[in-house]
Amino acid sequence: MSCANNPAIANFVEYLQIPSVQPNINYDACVAFLKKQAASLNLAVTVHEIVPKKPIVVLTWTGTDPTLPSILLNSHMDVVPVFEKSWTHPPFSAHIDKDGKIFARGSQDMKCVGIQYLEAIRKLRAANVQLKRTLHVTFVPDEEIGGHDGMMKFVHTAEFKALKVGFALDEGIASPEEEFILFYGERSIWQIHVHCTGKTGHGSLIHLNTAGEKLRYIIDKFMDLREQQKRILESDPKLTTGDVTTINMTQIYGGVQSNVVPEKLSVVFDMRLAITVNHEEFENMIKQWCREAGDGVTYDFEQKNDKVDSTKLDAGNPYWIAFKAAADELKIKLDCRIFPAATDSRYVRQVGIPALGFSPMNFTPVLLHDHNEYLKADVFLKGIDIYVKLLTAVANL
Ligand code: ZN
């Protein structure tokens, strides 16, 4: 059978061909597609609209013991924008080339995973398997723009609580090597604007107490810390970006005219705080830098995430033990890491639910958000079998 005729691939292709691309997505086609999938799987389907036009689709396979905490299998329906001219094949064509590479925006991030959950369930049902715990397969909107109208709000609703989730799976990332990458935590995002004010005047004079001098002090402090974190990362090959605090200067603004010393100059830093960072101490350090820079230096946060506990990978987390045992049986190697960016898992962990980020894509270049994003058909199909085993293990716990 050629790979386009494989029903799982056909479903994947159909989902990839829906251009659920940011911004201002109309999710109707995704919802219709998922309802059709639910019908073909004979699964109950519910659509929650916590925010109008931002549907959360939940497909449910009730377990033999529905009193047990359930398993949440989450994926997001949206994909990031494309620069179509840079693509070899149109990004919503899901073209399959002679090597079996399926080209489409969302092929890695993360329509693959959503379909793999469903196809794994299809296999289990075809084999008349009954699982103990209920599986809820959720398809959420707007993860790529922060999940504010999706998972962030959903986890605080009565509808979510009614799902009685005990453990969740969500997205990971491709791995070019044999090992699969598994994420058990995420860093906290802090985006800060530091405002430096000072003496204004003619650009030809030497004024005292200027915004520019204070701005330089602030930039030096943040960039020195960046340098220090960079050295830590480079010093140990075992460390990944998720293990350190990253700091990037992303914007500078202020001033009115080239010959006028400005009253105010501002600088923006995007920081991702390592899970080991004490948030209070970190903010106190910033306060101290602002005081040292001079009077009239203030800051405000565009985004400031609270600390979220990582998911435990030890005997205290029975879901992890079951997951790991199944992975061992499959002889798949897991590289357990802290996610460098942010996913919807952080909202799930925030309400105290253990969550792992895992996308079964090994021997695959990391192409999320990149041009010519693709996933090979054989990797996609193997991922379904991996989920058959993993879902069975965690749902029968
Ligand atoms: Zn994603």
Side-chain angles (χ1 to χ4, degrees), residues 76 109-110 143-144 171:
H76 59 82
D109 182 14
M110 63 172 299
E143 189 276 345
E144 296 292 1
E171 67 191 305

Side-chain angles (χ1 to χ4, degrees), residues 36-82:
K36 195 174 74 179
Q37 292 297 316
S40 80
L41 286 159
N42 203 15
L43 296 179
V45 59
T46 327
V47 182
H48 303 289
E49 273 196 37
I50 315 297
V51 175
K53 296 281 161 202
K54 307 285 185 184
I56 291 162
V57 185
V58 187
L59 280 66
T60 298
W61 182 13
T62 305
T64 55
D65 188 352
T67 63
L68 290 172
S70 68
I71 309 297
L72 182 78
L73 305 173
N74 186 56
S75 67
H76 59 82
M77 299 181 283
D78 60 322
V79 299
V80 293
V82 288

Side-chain angles (χ1 to χ4, degrees), residues 374-392:
Y374 74 80
L375 184 61
K376 285 189 79 179
D378 59 338
V379 174
F380 170 77
L381 293 172
K382 186 146 177 272
I384 296 170
D385 293 326
I386 291 172
Y387 278 121
V388 165
K389 190 92 181 164
L390 293 175
L391 300 187
T392 304

Side-chain angles (χ1 to χ4, degrees), residues 302-317:
E302 182 179 317
Q303 194 171 183
K304 186 184 183 216
N305 288 174
D306 290 337
K307 200 172 180 116
V308 175
D309 286 334
S310 300
T311 293
K312 301 265 181 299
L313 300 186
D314 60 25
N317 177 1

Side-chain angles (χ1 to χ4, degrees), residues 4-281:
N5 295 330
N6 178 303
I9 301 272
N11 283 334
F12 185 31
V13 164
E14 190 180 341
Y15 191 28
L16 289 170
Q17 286 173 341
I18 302 172
S20 49
V21 56
Q22 292 291 357
N24 303 318
I25 298 170
N26 180 334
Y27 286 104
D28 292 351
C30 286
V31 174
F33 169 79
L34 294 168
K35 282 184 170 168
K36 195 174 74 179
Q37 292 297 316
S40 80
L41 286 159
N42 203 15
L43 296 179
V45 59
T46 327
V47 182
H48 303 289
E49 273 196 37
I50 315 297
V51 175
K53 296 281 161 202
K54 307 285 185 184
I56 291 162
V57 185
V58 187
L59 280 66
T60 298
W61 182 13
T62 305
T64 55
D65 188 352
T67 63
L68 290 172
S70 68
I71 309 297
L72 182 78
L73 305 173
N74 186 56
S75 67
H76 59 82
M77 299 181 283
D78 60 322
V79 299
V80 293
V82 288
F83 300 92
E84 192 148 359
K85 284 199 186 80
S86 304
W87 284 65
T88 311
H89 308 284
F92 298 100
S93 66
H95 173 84
I96 307 176
D97 77 0
K98 60 172 179 10
D99 301 324
K101 290 175 181 164
I102 306 168
F103 287 89
R105 173 60 85 225
S107 55
Q108 293 192 11
D109 182 14
M110 63 172 299
K111 287 180 171 171
C112 50
V113 172
I115 297 295
Q116 284 167 324
Y117 294 147
L118 297 182
E119 295 303 325
I121 291 172
R122 199 183 308 280
K123 283 196 171 189
L124 289 165
R125 285 177 79 96
N128 282 317
V129 172
Q130 295 266 303
L131 299 178
K132 225 156 86 180
R133 288 169 195 262
T134 295
L135 300 183
H136 295 293
V137 195
T138 49
F139 293 82
V140 299
D142 287 9
E143 189 276 345
E144 296 292 1
I145 52 169
H148 306 291
D149 288 340
M151 193 57 104
M152 188 180 106
K153 287 197 173 73
F154 186 47
V155 296
H156 299 291
T157 61
E159 289 89 341
F160 182 82
K161 285 181 189 95
L163 302 179
K164 290 190 298 168
V165 178
F167 173 70
L169 288 178
D170 204 323
E171 67 191 305
I173 204 169
S175 162
E177 318 294 328
E178 188 195 345
E179 290 182 339
F180 292 83
I181 301 168
L182 181 103
F183 296 104
Y184 61 96
E186 293 180 10
R187 299 180 298 172
S188 303
I189 305 175
W190 282 22
Q191 285 159 341
I192 192 171
H193 292 233
V194 183
H195 309 287
C196 303
T197 59
K199 172 88 181 71
T200 63
H202 198 281
S204 64
L205 302 172
I206 301 236
H207 299 284
L208 299 177
N209 194 34
T210 60
E213 294 164 283
K214 296 172 194 176
L215 184 77
R216 179 174 83 154
Y217 187 87
I218 291 296
I219 291 174
D220 279 350
K221 285 295 179 184
F222 279 92
M223 294 314 256
D224 286 351
L225 181 61
R226 182 183 194 273
E227 196 56 35
Q228 178 216 26
Q229 293 295 304
K230 193 172 137 210
R231 277 200 297 271
I232 292 172
L233 180 62
E234 286 165 354
S235 71
D236 184 348
K238 283 201 292 292
L239 294 180
T240 64
T241 314
D243 296 314
V244 296
T245 296
T246 51
I247 297 163
N248 283 295
M249 188 165 80
T250 53
Q251 293 180 73
I252 296 182
Y253 56 91
V256 283
Q257 189 175 306
S258 303
N259 63 351
V260 176
V261 175
E263 191 177 22
K264 184 177 171 186
L265 291 170
S266 300
V267 58
V268 183
F269 297 97
D270 179 307
M271 301 181 280
R272 311 294 168 112
L273 274 54
I275 58 163
T276 48
V277 169
N278 177 313
H279 286 198
E280 202 187 326
E281 283 173 15

